[in-house]
Amino acid sequence: MAFAAPPETKLNTAQIRQAVGGHHVTDGRHWGHDYFLDVRLERSENGRTRAGRWSTQNNQLCLLLPEVSKVSPVCFDVVRVGEELQYRDAGSVVYAGTVRKSPSR
């Protein structure tokens, strides 16, 4: 018996802000991103925590990662597939995780 793949929805700028702002996105094992409403970003990846900033532009999620560049953000298309959010670059999935409410701090 074949199962239908969950529908894919490419998010626009407003939908991306609503999906990640004030939330924690994680794969549950290797990485987690906290998107604060003041555009701060806290990333935990493979045991290392790093700060950054996030924004949305041209229907993409853009991450300013100081270890990559202090001026040019890395931008991704964001696609919802069932319960999962996928960050895609030129069609390839770079991150895939689920959204949780951010722990309050």
Side-chain angles (χ1 to χ4, degrees), residues 25-82:
V25 182
T26 181
D27 72 349
R29 257 203 305 228
H30 303 104
W31 65 273
H33 294 174
D34 283 306
Y35 295 90
F36 296 94
L37 293 175
D38 64 2
V39 306
R40 284 180 306 120
L41 170 65
E42 194 171 278
R43 302 172 299 129
S44 297
E45 297 177 2
N46 299 315
R48 295 182 66 180
T49 300
R50 292 187 169 140
R53 299 186 82 67
W54 69 277
S55 63
T56 52
Q57 56 193 34
N58 302 322
N59 296 320
Q60 290 190 310
L61 174 64
C62 297
L63 308 180
L64 187 60
L65 311 174
E67 72 275 9
V68 176
S69 170
K70 296 201 183 320
V71 291
S72 299
V74 180
C75 297
F76 303 99
D77 291 326
V78 179
V79 179
R80 185 179 296 282
V81 181

Side-chain angles (χ1 to χ4, degrees), residues 73-96:
V74 180
C75 297
F76 303 99
D77 291 326
V78 179
V79 179
R80 185 179 296 282
V81 181
E83 293 295 309
E84 186 176 76
L85 280 188
Q86 296 182 351
Y87 302 176
R88 296 182 183 177
D89 181 24
S92 297
V93 176
V94 179
Y95 292 103

